[in-house]
Amino acid sequence: MAIVIQYVVEHKGVEKLVTTDKKAADQYDKMLDIADNLAQYLEAKGIKLDPQSMEEMTVMMAKNKTAIGKLFKGTPAETLLSDDSAEVVEMKQA
């Protein structure tokens, strides 16, 4: 019999990730914290979205924070979107 240590990342009471890799769990948890901070900031600045759309957008932004940082420095979006590592998320229309 083997003992397997699993790391479970929960967010707002929902299980989001189960892994045996502590580093991956920590990184995912940090990404979710960044997404929560982004959502709080956007809402405070008057951006009004339904909770699902806000979560999808802020998680996508947190996952792509390096690319978004490059956009602020003037890199064209086409350059970043042609990169295979860019995550594309289809937003659901309400």
Side-chain angles (χ1 to χ4, degrees):
M1 178 184 276
I3 297 174
V4 177
I5 297 174
Q6 290 187 325
Y7 299 93
V8 179
V9 179
E10 284 188 9
H11 183 251
K12 299 179 182 176
V14 178
E15 191 175 284
K16 296 288 189 174
L17 177 73
V18 178
T19 182
T20 57
D21 184 351
K22 183 179 183 336
K23 183 177 179 181
D26 288 340
Q27 287 175 332
Y28 197 82
D29 186 52
K30 182 177 180 181
M31 183 273 304
L32 290 174
D33 287 342
I34 292 168
D36 282 344
N37 288 336
L38 279 168
Q40 182 180 1
Y41 182 82
L42 292 172
E43 288 169 350
K45 292 296 184 178
I47 304 297
K48 303 208 183 321
L49 296 172
D50 65 271
Q52 180 66 30
S53 294
M54 181 66 82
E55 182 176 359
E56 287 176 8
M57 183 176 69
T58 57
V59 166
M60 182 278 304
M61 291 172 71
K63 285 181 177 179
N64 291 285
K65 66 182 181 181
T66 302
I68 290 171
K70 289 178 182 177
L71 288 171
F72 285 117
K73 293 178 181 177
T75 301
E78 296 83 22
T79 301
L80 298 172
L81 291 171
S82 66
D83 182 3
D84 289 336
S85 65
E87 179 179 328
V88 178
V89 178
E90 185 175 321
M91 298 297 286
K92 297 173 188 149
Q93 298 295 321

